[in-house]
Amino acid sequence: MTDAWAARTELTAILITVPELAAYTDRWRSVSRSSARPHVPLTELIPPHVTVLVPWVVEPTEDDVDRLRTVTRAVQPFDLSFPTAGQFPNGTAWLRPEPFDAVRALLATVYAAFPECPPYGGEFADPHPHLTVSSSKQGGPTVVAEAQAALDAEPAPVVRLTELGLWREDKNGVWSQFGTVPLGG
């Protein structure tokens, strides 16, 4: 993330939240810090999630939520698993959501509905859906190896994706949910 938008607070986002994975991922997320908020563990900022769109509109209106509802009606709920770990070049360790193509298609559908909100502020041309378990270089390959070994020994829970969460960050960088939008008609 570039400093231009990552250091901002009071953002909104559309997320796939998976609190069911907290017991599984907290071993890494509780000792990892966001580069924008290095004094607070990830577990205290936001639950485990896959980012769909951030930053979203600054002050979402009912029209914005309706626009999201319209595009999510065509996406049927599906099971979501996290069978593999990986790492971005910046050192961020993550779990890969599967079915990856279905998650990627969901993200593309939302991006198309909100062209005025480029994902990650336009920093990445083709964002890679993921669930962050360790930010930046705080563990890097070691965390990826630990996470993959844990996944091989005991798979992460499978969750049913039935809705997208609408989230807002406060001035301290802590996120809270303010709504949901269901998948499917």
Side-chain angles (χ1 to χ4, degrees), residues 14-77:
I14 303 168
L15 306 176
I16 297 169
T17 51
V18 284
E20 303 89 343
L21 267 70
Y24 195 89
T25 62
D26 280 1
R27 65 186 105 180
W28 304 291
R29 295 181 80 248
S30 66
V31 295
S32 182
R33 309 280 194 273
S34 162
S35 58
R37 288 142 199 68
H39 60 288
V40 182
L42 291 178
T43 52
E44 294 181 28
L45 295 175
I46 193 165
H49 67 280
V50 175
T51 300
V52 175
L53 182 59
V54 66
W56 189 34
V57 294
V58 176
E59 288 296 329
T61 64
E62 192 56 39
D63 287 343
D64 296 317
V65 176
D66 284 344
R67 187 171 15 154
L68 181 59
R69 278 190 197 106
T70 298
V71 299
T72 60
R73 280 188 191 111
V75 179
Q76 293 304 308

Side-chain angles (χ1 to χ4, degrees), residues 62-184:
E62 192 56 39
D63 287 343
D64 296 317
V65 176
D66 284 344
R67 187 171 15 154
L68 181 59
R69 278 190 197 106
T70 298
V71 299
T72 60
R73 280 188 191 111
V75 179
Q76 293 304 308
F78 57 92
D79 288 340
L80 197 57
S81 65
F82 296 86
T84 56
Q87 182 179 4
F88 291 127
N90 73 354
T92 298
W94 44 260
L95 302 182
R96 178 184 167 113
E98 293 290 350
F100 188 78
D101 290 342
V103 175
R104 187 178 282 252
L106 172 60
L107 273 59
T109 297
V110 172
Y111 299 165
F114 293 94
E116 73 277 18
C117 302
Y120 298 99
E123 184 174 353
F124 305 106
D126 186 21
H128 182 280
H130 65 282
L131 187 154
T132 298
V133 293
S134 179
S135 289
S136 301
K137 299 194 186 304
Q138 299 168 342
T142 301
V143 171
V144 172
E146 287 175 11
Q148 191 60 58
L151 290 166
D152 292 344
E154 179 183 343
V158 174
V159 296
R160 183 83 175 153
L161 179 59
T162 61
E163 66 187 16
L164 299 180
L166 309 179
W167 289 74
R168 177 174 283 112
E169 182 186 34
D170 69 18
K171 64 182 178 178
N172 297 313
V174 177
W175 291 82
S176 59
Q177 190 168 0
F178 66 90
T180 61
V181 171
L183 298 183

